[in-house]
Amino acid sequence: MASFKKYRVGAKVGLADIDPGDERFLEDCESDSEQRLRLDALAESLDELQNLLHAEGKRKLLLVLQGMDTSGKDGTIRWVFSRTSPLGVRVAAFKAPSIEELAHDFLWRCHAVVPRSGEIAVWNRSHYEDVLVPVVEGWIDKAETQRRYAHINDFERLLTETGTVVLKCMLHIGADEQRERLQARIDEPAKNWKFAMGDLDARKKWGLYQRAYARALEATSTDAAPWYVVPANHKTHRNLMIAQLLVKTLKDMKLSVPPADPALRGLIVP
Amino acid sequence: MASFKKYRVGAKVGLADIDPGDERFLEDCESDSEQRLRLDALAESLDELQNLLHAEGKRKLLLVLQGMDTSGKDGTIRWVFSRTSPLGVRVAAFKAPSIEELAHDFLWRCHAVVPRSGEIAVWNRSHYEDVLVPVVEGWIDKAETQRRYAHINDFERLLTETGTVVLKCMLHIGADEQRERLQARIDEPAKNWKFAMGDLDARKKWGLYQRAYARALEATSTDAAPWYVVPANHKTHRNLMIAQLLVKTLKDMKLSVPPADPALRGLIVP
């Protein structure tokens, strides 16, 4: 299996170091059908591990998904969790904040939907939007951006120190790949509903977004809550890499079913 | 396909009329492997229909699951939604109410988790707990019980008149079947964590619970939000019947992808 280290943001790895077209996690798995089988096997492992997480009933897992429009956040959730019961996986999608949300600090709406014990939460966009859009649009200055990075790190430390494993994945696509995907949403009538004119505005600021992402990732990739850059031009590569990362992470948690209860030995149900 | 009518609570059908061991929905599907294939096909149809519900983005579906301990609420969710993306299915499990929840009317915590547009919500237990436990324990009198039935019907009318299709399924098992399932949780050490001593207390009041269920179902099975009694001694029967009911219900909604947007014709992504 390829190593995740090279994709983990840190002193030596930044967003710009990763090629969106990289297909390292497809190695030894050349045909489409092989890739599908491997993904399916990982999805089933994930289901088993989620059951153990639930049975243990103590710890939690938070998966944060970020990426430019069309980078495949929805698709990742659909395929990586294709075998997991909705009982144990809760998805939160963060849109432009509502008036009520804007009336609170930017972590308020996120805190409300952190995973509960035994649960996996998947965030489709997240609190990181608040160090991306406002930075690109110039609504906040450098000092405020730094303060927000610190708030984010503090918040994530709270989560990790209270039993939540935090994984953050940046779905990294290239500008050309995005053009093709947006164009498909325009050209295929049945996909029109997925397209919004605003998507083109964000695309115009591609470079600014990449820079804001690179800085945010660098400032908030910690030992406890690391960022991984996931090459995502190839959709199955993206899915396989994230599924493998999740399976590895859950295995490393050494989950197990609670021990037998001696008080139940010999009990007969009337 | 067997008809759902005979299982729909109304003037002619009550809880006592349905045999928990009934296997009508396994007809023409004798071997285990055939049953598994059929369930899998239904689960995939459900995924496609959920995608359409999401694409349409207007209506919602609420599935309420009730039943005695071990009746298979978790298992139903696991198998019926085994192919659906967690993006579009949100599960809420209602436990004994918290102090905060008790400080509000009994519908407050339910209203907070109704499905949003394009979503399926599945309730593992529900507002119906408040016309079961308190009735059996004698905490509320007949007049209050009747008031609660009316509150429930009003609440569900609000939901159905604002775009939510409401389906309610009572997972109906027999007392003997429950004994076996509880005993298995005691005898198998790896299942001990699923057992609570309180389960035996509720079991002692089996007859009272059946009566409270029968009355609640009768009082709240409306045209807009009907109750179905699902024979659930046979787990695959239970799953197949509920999956079929969901697929039929979603098909009857005549969902479709929003029409092509003429404004996008010929647009080229820069």
Side-chain angles (χ1 to χ4, degrees), chain A residues 47 51 54-55 74 78 81-83 85-87 90-91 179 183 186 189-190 192-193 203 257 260-261 264 267-270, chain B residues 47 51 54-55 74 78 81-83 85-87 90-91 179 183 186 189-190 192-193 195 203 257 260-261 264 267-270:
Chain A
D47 181 43
N51 275 341
H54 170 68
D74 286 10
R78 167 166 301 281
F81 296 100
S82 61
R83 296 294 186 141
S85 171
L87 272 174
R90 187 175 300 275
V91 177
R179 184 193 302 110
Q183 193 65 54
I186 290 168
N192 281 182
W193 64 277
R203 180 170 167 77
V257 169
D261 180 353
L264 297 188
L267 183 68
I268 302 295
V269 177
Chain B
D47 181 44
N51 276 342
H54 170 68
D74 286 10
R78 167 166 300 281
F81 296 100
S82 61
R83 297 293 187 143
S85 171
L87 271 174
R90 186 175 299 277
V91 177
R179 183 192 302 112
Q183 193 66 54
I186 290 168
N192 281 183
W193 64 275
F195 181 84
R203 178 169 169 78
V257 169
D261 180 353
L264 297 187
L267 183 67
I268 301 294
V269 178

Short mmCIF file of all heavy atoms in Angstrom, two decimals, chain A residues 47 51 54-55 74 78 81-83 85-87 90-91 179 183 186 189-190 192-193 203 257 260-261 264 267-270, chain B residues 47 51 54-55 74 78 81-83 85-87 90-91 179 183 186 189-190 192-193 195 203 257 260-261 264 267-270:
data_model
loop_
_atom_site.label_atom_id
_atom_site.label_comp_id
_atom_site.label_asym_id
_atom_site.label_seq_id
_atom_site.Cartn_x
_atom_site.Cartn_y
_atom_site.Cartn_z
N ASP A 47 -17.63 -0.58 7.16
CA ASP A 47 -18.88 -0.89 7.84
C ASP A 47 -18.61 -1.71 9.11
O ASP A 47 -19.14 -1.42 10.18
CB ASP A 47 -19.80 -1.66 6.89
CG ASP A 47 -21.13 -2.00 7.54
OD1 ASP A 47 -21.70 -1.12 8.22
OD2 ASP A 47 -21.61 -3.13 7.38
N ASN A 51 -19.23 -0.53 13.00
CA ASN A 51 -19.98 -1.31 13.99
C ASN A 51 -19.22 -1.43 15.30
O ASN A 51 -19.81 -1.36 16.38
CB ASN A 51 -20.24 -2.73 13.45
CG ASN A 51 -21.47 -2.77 12.58
OD1 ASN A 51 -22.31 -1.88 12.65
ND2 ASN A 51 -21.58 -3.80 11.77
N HIS A 54 -19.32 1.78 17.18
CA HIS A 54 -20.63 1.90 17.83
C HIS A 54 -20.71 1.00 19.07
O HIS A 54 -21.17 1.40 20.13
CB HIS A 54 -21.72 1.55 16.83
CG HIS A 54 -23.08 1.40 17.44
ND1 HIS A 54 -23.76 2.47 17.98
CD2 HIS A 54 -23.88 0.32 17.62
CE1 HIS A 54 -24.93 2.05 18.46
NE2 HIS A 54 -25.03 0.76 18.26
N ALA A 55 -20.22 -0.24 18.92
CA ALA A 55 -20.27 -1.19 20.04
C ALA A 55 -19.43 -0.67 21.21
O ALA A 55 -19.88 -0.70 22.36
CB ALA A 55 -19.77 -2.56 19.60
N ASP A 74 -19.34 15.21 -2.56
CA ASP A 74 -20.53 14.34 -2.54
C ASP A 74 -20.20 12.94 -3.02
O ASP A 74 -20.62 11.95 -2.42
CB ASP A 74 -21.64 14.90 -3.45
CG ASP A 74 -22.33 16.11 -2.85
OD1 ASP A 74 -21.84 16.65 -1.83
OD2 ASP A 74 -23.37 16.54 -3.40
N ARG A 78 -20.66 9.34 -1.17
CA ARG A 78 -21.48 8.28 -1.77
C ARG A 78 -20.71 6.97 -1.89
O ARG A 78 -21.22 5.91 -1.54
CB ARG A 78 -21.97 8.74 -3.15
CG ARG A 78 -22.55 7.65 -4.04
CD ARG A 78 -23.31 8.24 -5.21
NE ARG A 78 -24.38 9.08 -4.74
CZ ARG A 78 -25.56 8.64 -4.30
NH1 ARG A 78 -25.79 7.35 -4.27
NH2 ARG A 78 -26.47 9.48 -3.88
N PHE A 81 -18.75 5.57 1.66
CA PHE A 81 -19.71 5.06 2.66
C PHE A 81 -20.84 4.28 2.01
O PHE A 81 -21.96 4.25 2.51
CB PHE A 81 -20.24 6.23 3.50
CG PHE A 81 -19.16 6.87 4.31
CD1 PHE A 81 -18.56 8.05 3.89
CD2 PHE A 81 -18.68 6.26 5.46
CE1 PHE A 81 -17.53 8.63 4.63
CE2 PHE A 81 -17.66 6.83 6.20
CZ PHE A 81 -17.08 8.02 5.77
N SER A 82 -20.54 3.63 0.87
CA SER A 82 -21.59 2.93 0.14
C SER A 82 -22.07 1.69 0.88
O SER A 82 -23.11 1.14 0.56
CB SER A 82 -21.10 2.54 -1.25
OG SER A 82 -20.00 1.67 -1.14
N ARG A 83 -21.31 1.22 1.86
CA ARG A 83 -21.70 0.00 2.56
C ARG A 83 -21.97 0.22 4.04
O ARG A 83 -22.20 -0.72 4.78
CB ARG A 83 -20.59 -1.06 2.43
CG ARG A 83 -20.36 -1.50 1.02
CD ARG A 83 -21.58 -2.23 0.50
NE ARG A 83 -21.32 -2.79 -0.81
CZ ARG A 83 -21.76 -3.99 -1.20
NH1 ARG A 83 -22.46 -4.74 -0.38
NH2 ARG A 83 -21.52 -4.41 -2.41
N SER A 85 -23.96 1.61 7.33
CA SER A 85 -25.33 1.92 7.71
C SER A 85 -25.46 3.39 8.07
O SER A 85 -24.61 3.94 8.78
CB SER A 85 -25.76 1.07 8.90
OG SER A 85 -27.00 1.53 9.39
N PRO A 86 -26.55 4.04 7.63
CA PRO A 86 -26.75 5.44 8.00
C PRO A 86 -26.96 5.60 9.51
O PRO A 86 -26.94 6.72 10.02
CB PRO A 86 -28.02 5.84 7.23
CG PRO A 86 -28.68 4.57 6.84
CD PRO A 86 -27.60 3.53 6.74
N LEU A 87 -27.15 4.50 10.21
CA LEU A 87 -27.23 4.55 11.68
C LEU A 87 -25.99 5.17 12.30
O LEU A 87 -26.08 5.82 13.33
CB LEU A 87 -27.31 3.13 12.24
CG LEU A 87 -28.67 2.47 12.39
CD1 LEU A 87 -28.47 1.04 12.82
CD2 LEU A 87 -29.49 3.23 13.41
N ARG A 90 -23.11 10.23 10.08
CA ARG A 90 -23.95 11.42 10.00
C ARG A 90 -23.24 12.46 9.14
O ARG A 90 -22.10 12.82 9.42
CB ARG A 90 -24.16 11.96 11.42
CG ARG A 90 -25.13 13.10 11.55
CD ARG A 90 -25.31 13.44 13.02
NE ARG A 90 -25.83 12.29 13.74
CZ ARG A 90 -27.13 12.00 13.82
NH1 ARG A 90 -28.02 12.78 13.24
NH2 ARG A 90 -27.53 10.94 14.49
N VAL A 91 -23.90 12.91 8.08
CA VAL A 91 -23.29 13.89 7.19
C VAL A 91 -23.83 15.27 7.50
O VAL A 91 -25.03 15.45 7.68
CB VAL A 91 -23.61 13.55 5.71
CG1 VAL A 91 -23.05 14.61 4.78
CG2 VAL A 91 -23.06 12.17 5.35
N ARG A 179 -12.65 22.64 -15.15
CA ARG A 179 -13.33 23.15 -16.33
C ARG A 179 -14.18 22.06 -16.98
O ARG A 179 -15.35 22.25 -17.29
CB ARG A 179 -12.34 23.71 -17.36
CG ARG A 179 -13.08 24.33 -18.56
CD ARG A 179 -12.20 24.62 -19.75
NE ARG A 179 -11.09 25.52 -19.43
CZ ARG A 179 -9.83 25.16 -19.38
NH1 ARG A 179 -9.49 23.90 -19.67
NH2 ARG A 179 -8.89 26.03 -19.08
N GLN A 183 -18.18 22.12 -17.27
CA GLN A 183 -18.74 22.11 -18.63
C GLN A 183 -19.74 20.96 -18.79
O GLN A 183 -20.79 21.12 -19.41
CB GLN A 183 -17.60 21.98 -19.65
CG GLN A 183 -18.03 22.28 -21.08
CD GLN A 183 -18.46 23.74 -21.28
OE1 GLN A 183 -17.71 24.65 -20.96
NE2 GLN A 183 -19.67 23.96 -21.76
N ILE A 186 -23.04 21.84 -17.55
CA ILE A 186 -23.75 22.75 -18.45
C ILE A 186 -24.27 22.00 -19.67
O ILE A 186 -25.41 22.18 -20.10
CB ILE A 186 -22.78 23.88 -18.89
CG1 ILE A 186 -22.49 24.80 -17.70
CG2 ILE A 186 -23.37 24.68 -20.06
CD1 ILE A 186 -21.33 25.76 -17.93
N PRO A 189 -28.18 18.31 -19.90
CA PRO A 189 -29.37 18.93 -19.31
C PRO A 189 -29.74 18.34 -17.94
O PRO A 189 -30.13 19.07 -17.02
CB PRO A 189 -30.47 18.65 -20.34
CG PRO A 189 -29.74 18.49 -21.63
CD PRO A 189 -28.41 17.87 -21.29
N ALA A 190 -29.58 17.02 -17.78
CA ALA A 190 -29.97 16.39 -16.52
C ALA A 190 -29.05 16.79 -15.37
O ALA A 190 -29.33 16.51 -14.22
CB ALA A 190 -29.99 14.87 -16.66
N ASN A 192 -27.94 20.08 -15.17
CA ASN A 192 -28.04 21.53 -15.04
C ASN A 192 -28.32 21.99 -13.61
O ASN A 192 -27.79 23.00 -13.14
CB ASN A 192 -29.15 22.10 -15.94
CG ASN A 192 -28.73 22.22 -17.41
OD1 ASN A 192 -29.49 22.69 -18.24
ND2 ASN A 192 -27.52 21.79 -17.74
N TRP A 193 -29.16 21.22 -12.90
CA TRP A 193 -29.54 21.63 -11.55
C TRP A 193 -28.35 21.65 -10.59
O TRP A 193 -28.42 22.26 -9.52
CB TRP A 193 -30.65 20.73 -11.01
CG TRP A 193 -30.25 19.28 -10.86
CD1 TRP A 193 -30.23 18.32 -11.82
CD2 TRP A 193 -29.79 18.65 -9.66
NE1 TRP A 193 -29.79 17.12 -11.31
CE2 TRP A 193 -29.51 17.29 -9.99
CE3 TRP A 193 -29.58 19.06 -8.35
CZ2 TRP A 193 -29.04 16.37 -9.04
CZ3 TRP A 193 -29.11 18.15 -7.42
CH2 TRP A 193 -28.84 16.82 -7.76
N ARG A 203 -14.39 30.26 -9.73
CA ARG A 203 -13.37 29.74 -10.64
C ARG A 203 -12.41 30.84 -11.10
O ARG A 203 -11.21 30.62 -11.26
CB ARG A 203 -14.05 29.08 -11.84
CG ARG A 203 -13.06 28.53 -12.84
CD ARG A 203 -13.71 27.68 -13.91
NE ARG A 203 -12.74 27.45 -14.97
CZ ARG A 203 -11.75 26.57 -14.90
NH1 ARG A 203 -11.61 25.82 -13.83
NH2 ARG A 203 -10.89 26.42 -15.89
N VAL A 257 -15.38 -4.85 20.87
CA VAL A 257 -16.68 -4.99 21.52
C VAL A 257 -16.47 -4.97 23.04
O VAL A 257 -15.49 -5.54 23.52
CB VAL A 257 -17.33 -6.32 21.06
CG1 VAL A 257 -18.54 -6.66 21.90
CG2 VAL A 257 -17.67 -6.24 19.58
N ALA A 260 -17.72 -9.21 27.96
CA ALA A 260 -18.94 -9.85 28.44
C ALA A 260 -19.28 -9.34 29.84
O ALA A 260 -18.40 -8.99 30.62
CB ALA A 260 -18.74 -11.36 28.45
N ASP A 261 -20.57 -9.29 30.14
CA ASP A 261 -21.03 -8.81 31.45
C ASP A 261 -21.25 -10.03 32.35
O ASP A 261 -22.18 -10.81 32.12
CB ASP A 261 -22.33 -8.03 31.24
CG ASP A 261 -22.89 -7.50 32.54
OD1 ASP A 261 -22.35 -7.84 33.61
OD2 ASP A 261 -23.88 -6.75 32.48
N LEU A 264 -24.63 -11.25 33.62
CA LEU A 264 -25.64 -11.86 32.75
C LEU A 264 -25.50 -13.39 32.67
O LEU A 264 -26.35 -14.07 32.12
CB LEU A 264 -25.55 -11.27 31.34
CG LEU A 264 -25.84 -9.78 31.18
CD1 LEU A 264 -25.89 -9.41 29.71
CD2 LEU A 264 -27.16 -9.42 31.85
N LEU A 267 -28.40 -16.07 33.12
CA LEU A 267 -29.71 -15.41 33.21
C LEU A 267 -30.66 -15.99 32.16
O LEU A 267 -30.28 -16.17 31.01
CB LEU A 267 -29.52 -13.90 32.98
CG LEU A 267 -30.77 -13.01 33.10
CD1 LEU A 267 -31.27 -12.97 34.54
CD2 LEU A 267 -30.45 -11.60 32.63
N ILE A 268 -31.90 -16.30 32.56
CA ILE A 268 -32.90 -16.85 31.64
C ILE A 268 -34.02 -15.83 31.47
O ILE A 268 -34.58 -15.34 32.46
CB ILE A 268 -33.49 -18.17 32.20
CG1 ILE A 268 -32.40 -19.21 32.44
CG2 ILE A 268 -34.56 -18.71 31.26
CD1 ILE A 268 -31.70 -19.70 31.20
N VAL A 269 -34.35 -15.51 30.23
CA VAL A 269 -35.43 -14.56 29.96
C VAL A 269 -36.78 -15.23 30.23
O VAL A 269 -37.04 -16.29 29.67
CB VAL A 269 -35.38 -14.07 28.51
CG1 VAL A 269 -36.53 -13.13 28.22
CG2 VAL A 269 -34.05 -13.38 28.21
N PRO A 270 -37.61 -14.65 31.09
CA PRO A 270 -38.90 -15.29 31.39
C PRO A 270 -39.88 -15.14 30.22
O PRO A 270 -39.73 -14.26 29.40
CB PRO A 270 -39.42 -14.54 32.61
CG PRO A 270 -38.50 -13.40 32.87
CD PRO A 270 -37.45 -13.37 31.83
N ASP B 47 -31.78 3.79 -3.57
CA ASP B 47 -30.70 4.75 -3.77
C ASP B 47 -30.98 5.66 -4.97
O ASP B 47 -30.84 6.88 -4.90
CB ASP B 47 -29.37 4.00 -3.96
CG ASP B 47 -28.20 4.95 -4.13
OD1 ASP B 47 -28.13 5.94 -3.38
OD2 ASP B 47 -27.37 4.72 -5.02
N ASN B 51 -31.76 9.70 -4.92
CA ASN B 51 -31.05 10.68 -5.75
C ASN B 51 -32.03 11.62 -6.44
O ASN B 51 -31.79 12.82 -6.55
CB ASN B 51 -30.23 9.98 -6.84
CG ASN B 51 -28.88 9.55 -6.32
OD1 ASN B 51 -28.43 10.06 -5.30
ND2 ASN B 51 -28.24 8.63 -7.01
N HIS B 54 -33.43 14.07 -4.01
CA HIS B 54 -32.43 15.12 -3.78
C HIS B 54 -32.37 16.09 -4.96
O HIS B 54 -32.33 17.31 -4.78
CB HIS B 54 -31.06 14.48 -3.54
CG HIS B 54 -29.92 15.45 -3.53
ND1 HIS B 54 -29.77 16.39 -2.53
CD2 HIS B 54 -28.91 15.64 -4.40
CE1 HIS B 54 -28.71 17.12 -2.79
NE2 HIS B 54 -28.15 16.70 -3.91
N ALA B 55 -32.38 15.53 -6.18
CA ALA B 55 -32.31 16.39 -7.37
C ALA B 55 -33.52 17.30 -7.44
O ALA B 55 -33.40 18.50 -7.71
CB ALA B 55 -32.21 15.53 -8.63
N ASP B 74 -32.92 -1.21 14.33
CA ASP B 74 -31.56 -0.99 13.82
C ASP B 74 -31.28 -1.84 12.58
O ASP B 74 -30.72 -1.36 11.59
CB ASP B 74 -30.51 -1.35 14.89
CG ASP B 74 -30.42 -0.30 15.99
OD1 ASP B 74 -31.29 0.59 16.04
OD2 ASP B 74 -29.50 -0.40 16.81
N ARG B 78 -30.17 -0.76 8.81
CA ARG B 78 -28.94 -1.29 8.23
C ARG B 78 -29.18 -1.91 6.86
O ARG B 78 -28.45 -1.65 5.91
CB ARG B 78 -28.31 -2.31 9.18
CG ARG B 78 -27.21 -3.16 8.59
CD ARG B 78 -26.42 -3.88 9.66
NE ARG B 78 -25.81 -2.92 10.57
CZ ARG B 78 -24.70 -2.25 10.30
NH1 ARG B 78 -24.07 -2.44 9.16
NH2 ARG B 78 -24.23 -1.39 11.16
N PHE B 81 -31.37 0.42 4.02
CA PHE B 81 -30.58 1.54 3.50
C PHE B 81 -29.13 1.13 3.26
O PHE B 81 -28.22 1.95 3.35
CB PHE B 81 -30.68 2.74 4.44
CG PHE B 81 -32.08 3.27 4.52
CD1 PHE B 81 -32.90 2.95 5.60
CD2 PHE B 81 -32.60 4.05 3.51
CE1 PHE B 81 -34.22 3.40 5.66
CE2 PHE B 81 -33.91 4.51 3.56
CZ PHE B 81 -34.72 4.19 4.64
N SER B 82 -28.92 -0.14 2.93
CA SER B 82 -27.55 -0.64 2.77
C SER B 82 -26.89 -0.08 1.50
O SER B 82 -25.68 -0.18 1.35
CB SER B 82 -27.54 -2.17 2.71
OG SER B 82 -28.30 -2.62 1.61
N ARG B 83 -27.69 0.49 0.58
CA ARG B 83 -27.11 1.00 -0.65
C ARG B 83 -27.30 2.50 -0.83
O ARG B 83 -26.96 3.05 -1.87
CB ARG B 83 -27.75 0.29 -1.86
CG ARG B 83 -27.49 -1.20 -1.88
CD ARG B 83 -26.01 -1.46 -2.12
NE ARG B 83 -25.75 -2.87 -2.31
CZ ARG B 83 -24.85 -3.33 -3.16
NH1 ARG B 83 -24.14 -2.51 -3.90
NH2 ARG B 83 -24.63 -4.63 -3.25
N SER B 85 -26.73 6.47 -0.08
CA SER B 85 -25.68 7.32 0.44
C SER B 85 -26.12 8.02 1.72
O SER B 85 -27.25 8.50 1.80
CB SER B 85 -25.31 8.38 -0.60
OG SER B 85 -24.45 9.33 -0.01
N PRO B 86 -25.22 8.08 2.71
CA PRO B 86 -25.57 8.81 3.94
C PRO B 86 -25.82 10.30 3.69
O PRO B 86 -26.33 11.00 4.55
CB PRO B 86 -24.36 8.59 4.85
CG PRO B 86 -23.25 8.18 3.95
CD PRO B 86 -23.88 7.51 2.76
N LEU B 87 -25.46 10.77 2.51
CA LEU B 87 -25.75 12.15 2.13
C LEU B 87 -27.24 12.46 2.22
O LEU B 87 -27.63 13.57 2.53
CB LEU B 87 -25.37 12.40 0.67
CG LEU B 87 -23.98 12.84 0.35
CD1 LEU B 87 -23.79 12.87 -1.15
CD2 LEU B 87 -23.71 14.22 0.95
N ARG B 90 -30.95 10.58 6.85
CA ARG B 90 -30.56 11.04 8.17
C ARG B 90 -31.33 10.23 9.22
O ARG B 90 -32.56 10.19 9.19
CB ARG B 90 -30.91 12.52 8.30
CG ARG B 90 -30.44 13.21 9.54
CD ARG B 90 -30.76 14.69 9.46
NE ARG B 90 -30.10 15.32 8.34
CZ ARG B 90 -28.83 15.75 8.38
NH1 ARG B 90 -28.13 15.64 9.49
NH2 ARG B 90 -28.29 16.28 7.31
N VAL B 91 -30.61 9.58 10.11
CA VAL B 91 -31.26 8.77 11.14
C VAL B 91 -31.29 9.53 12.45
O VAL B 91 -30.29 10.13 12.85
CB VAL B 91 -30.50 7.44 11.34
CG1 VAL B 91 -31.13 6.63 12.47
CG2 VAL B 91 -30.49 6.63 10.05
N ARG B 179 -38.37 -13.33 23.33
CA ARG B 179 -37.62 -14.09 24.34
C ARG B 179 -36.34 -14.64 23.73
O ARG B 179 -35.26 -14.51 24.29
CB ARG B 179 -38.47 -15.24 24.90
CG ARG B 179 -37.69 -15.99 26.02
CD ARG B 179 -38.31 -17.32 26.44
NE ARG B 179 -39.67 -17.13 26.90
CZ ARG B 179 -40.74 -17.60 26.26
NH1 ARG B 179 -40.58 -18.28 25.12
NH2 ARG B 179 -41.94 -17.40 26.73
N GLN B 183 -32.62 -13.63 24.86
CA GLN B 183 -31.78 -14.70 25.39
C GLN B 183 -30.45 -14.75 24.63
O GLN B 183 -29.40 -14.97 25.23
CB GLN B 183 -32.52 -16.04 25.31
CG GLN B 183 -31.84 -17.14 26.12
CD GLN B 183 -31.90 -16.86 27.63
OE1 GLN B 183 -32.96 -16.63 28.20
NE2 GLN B 183 -30.74 -16.82 28.28
N ILE B 186 -28.01 -12.37 25.88
CA ILE B 186 -27.45 -12.77 27.17
C ILE B 186 -26.43 -13.88 26.97
O ILE B 186 -25.34 -13.87 27.56
CB ILE B 186 -28.59 -13.24 28.11
CG1 ILE B 186 -29.44 -12.04 28.52
CG2 ILE B 186 -28.03 -13.96 29.33
CD1 ILE B 186 -30.75 -12.40 29.19
N PRO B 189 -21.60 -13.64 24.60
CA PRO B 189 -20.85 -12.57 25.28
C PRO B 189 -20.65 -11.32 24.42
O PRO B 189 -20.76 -10.20 24.93
CB PRO B 189 -19.51 -13.24 25.61
CG PRO B 189 -19.83 -14.70 25.68
CD PRO B 189 -20.92 -14.94 24.68
N ALA B 190 -20.43 -11.51 23.11
CA ALA B 190 -20.18 -10.36 22.25
C ALA B 190 -21.43 -9.52 22.05
O ALA B 190 -21.37 -8.41 21.50
CB ALA B 190 -19.63 -10.82 20.90
N ASN B 192 -23.56 -8.97 24.74
CA ASN B 192 -23.97 -8.50 26.07
C ASN B 192 -24.20 -7.00 26.12
O ASN B 192 -25.12 -6.52 26.79
CB ASN B 192 -22.92 -8.87 27.14
CG ASN B 192 -22.99 -10.31 27.60
OD1 ASN B 192 -22.26 -10.73 28.47
ND2 ASN B 192 -23.87 -11.10 27.00
N TRP B 193 -23.38 -6.26 25.39
CA TRP B 193 -23.50 -4.80 25.47
C TRP B 193 -24.82 -4.29 24.90
O TRP B 193 -25.22 -3.16 25.15
CB TRP B 193 -22.32 -4.13 24.75
CG TRP B 193 -22.28 -4.41 23.27
CD1 TRP B 193 -21.73 -5.50 22.66
CD2 TRP B 193 -22.79 -3.60 22.21
NE1 TRP B 193 -21.88 -5.42 21.28
CE2 TRP B 193 -22.52 -4.27 20.99
CE3 TRP B 193 -23.45 -2.37 22.17
CZ2 TRP B 193 -22.89 -3.74 19.74
CZ3 TRP B 193 -23.82 -1.86 20.93
CH2 TRP B 193 -23.54 -2.55 19.73
N PHE B 195 -27.66 -5.58 25.71
CA PHE B 195 -28.71 -5.94 26.65
C PHE B 195 -28.71 -4.99 27.84
O PHE B 195 -27.67 -4.61 28.36
CB PHE B 195 -28.48 -7.38 27.13
CG PHE B 195 -29.53 -7.85 28.09
CD1 PHE B 195 -30.73 -8.36 27.62
CD2 PHE B 195 -29.32 -7.76 29.47
CE1 PHE B 195 -31.71 -8.79 28.51
CE2 PHE B 195 -30.30 -8.18 30.36
CZ PHE B 195 -31.50 -8.70 29.88
N ARG B 203 -40.55 -6.13 29.16
CA ARG B 203 -41.10 -7.41 28.70
C ARG B 203 -42.22 -7.92 29.61
O ARG B 203 -43.19 -8.51 29.16
CB ARG B 203 -39.96 -8.43 28.61
CG ARG B 203 -40.44 -9.81 28.20
CD ARG B 203 -39.32 -10.75 27.85
NE ARG B 203 -39.85 -12.11 27.72
CZ ARG B 203 -40.52 -12.53 26.65
NH1 ARG B 203 -40.71 -11.74 25.63
NH2 ARG B 203 -41.00 -13.77 26.61
N VAL B 257 -35.79 14.77 -12.19
CA VAL B 257 -34.71 15.76 -12.21
C VAL B 257 -35.29 17.09 -12.70
O VAL B 257 -36.13 17.10 -13.61
CB VAL B 257 -33.59 15.27 -13.14
CG1 VAL B 257 -32.57 16.35 -13.41
CG2 VAL B 257 -32.92 14.04 -12.56
N ALA B 260 -33.97 21.11 -17.80
CA ALA B 260 -32.76 21.79 -18.25
C ALA B 260 -32.95 23.30 -18.13
O ALA B 260 -34.06 23.81 -18.26
CB ALA B 260 -32.46 21.41 -19.69
N ASP B 261 -31.87 24.00 -17.84
CA ASP B 261 -31.92 25.46 -17.69
C ASP B 261 -31.55 26.10 -19.03
O ASP B 261 -30.39 26.01 -19.45
CB ASP B 261 -30.93 25.85 -16.59
CG ASP B 261 -30.91 27.36 -16.36
OD1 ASP B 261 -31.56 28.10 -17.14
OD2 ASP B 261 -30.24 27.78 -15.41
N LEU B 264 -28.36 28.09 -19.71
CA LEU B 264 -27.03 27.47 -19.77
C LEU B 264 -26.65 27.03 -21.18
O LEU B 264 -25.52 26.65 -21.44
CB LEU B 264 -26.96 26.27 -18.83
CG LEU B 264 -27.15 26.56 -17.34
CD1 LEU B 264 -26.88 25.31 -16.53
CD2 LEU B 264 -26.24 27.70 -16.88
N LEU B 267 -23.26 27.81 -23.07
CA LEU B 267 -22.29 28.46 -22.18
C LEU B 267 -20.98 27.67 -22.15
O LEU B 267 -20.98 26.45 -22.06
CB LEU B 267 -22.89 28.54 -20.76
CG LEU B 267 -22.07 29.24 -19.69
CD1 LEU B 267 -21.95 30.73 -19.98
CD2 LEU B 267 -22.70 29.03 -18.31
N ILE B 268 -19.86 28.39 -22.27
CA ILE B 268 -18.54 27.74 -22.24
C ILE B 268 -17.81 28.18 -20.97
O ILE B 268 -17.72 29.37 -20.69
CB ILE B 268 -17.70 28.15 -23.47
CG1 ILE B 268 -18.41 27.76 -24.77
CG2 ILE B 268 -16.30 27.52 -23.41
CD1 ILE B 268 -18.56 26.28 -25.00
N VAL B 269 -17.29 27.22 -20.22
CA VAL B 269 -16.55 27.53 -19.00
C VAL B 269 -15.17 28.06 -19.38
O VAL B 269 -14.44 27.41 -20.12
CB VAL B 269 -16.39 26.28 -18.12
CG1 VAL B 269 -15.57 26.60 -16.88
CG2 VAL B 269 -17.75 25.72 -17.74
N PRO B 270 -14.80 29.24 -18.92
CA PRO B 270 -13.49 29.81 -19.28
C PRO B 270 -12.36 29.06 -18.53
O PRO B 270 -12.58 28.48 -17.50
CB PRO B 270 -13.57 31.26 -18.80
CG PRO B 270 -14.85 31.43 -18.05
CD PRO B 270 -15.58 30.12 -18.03
#
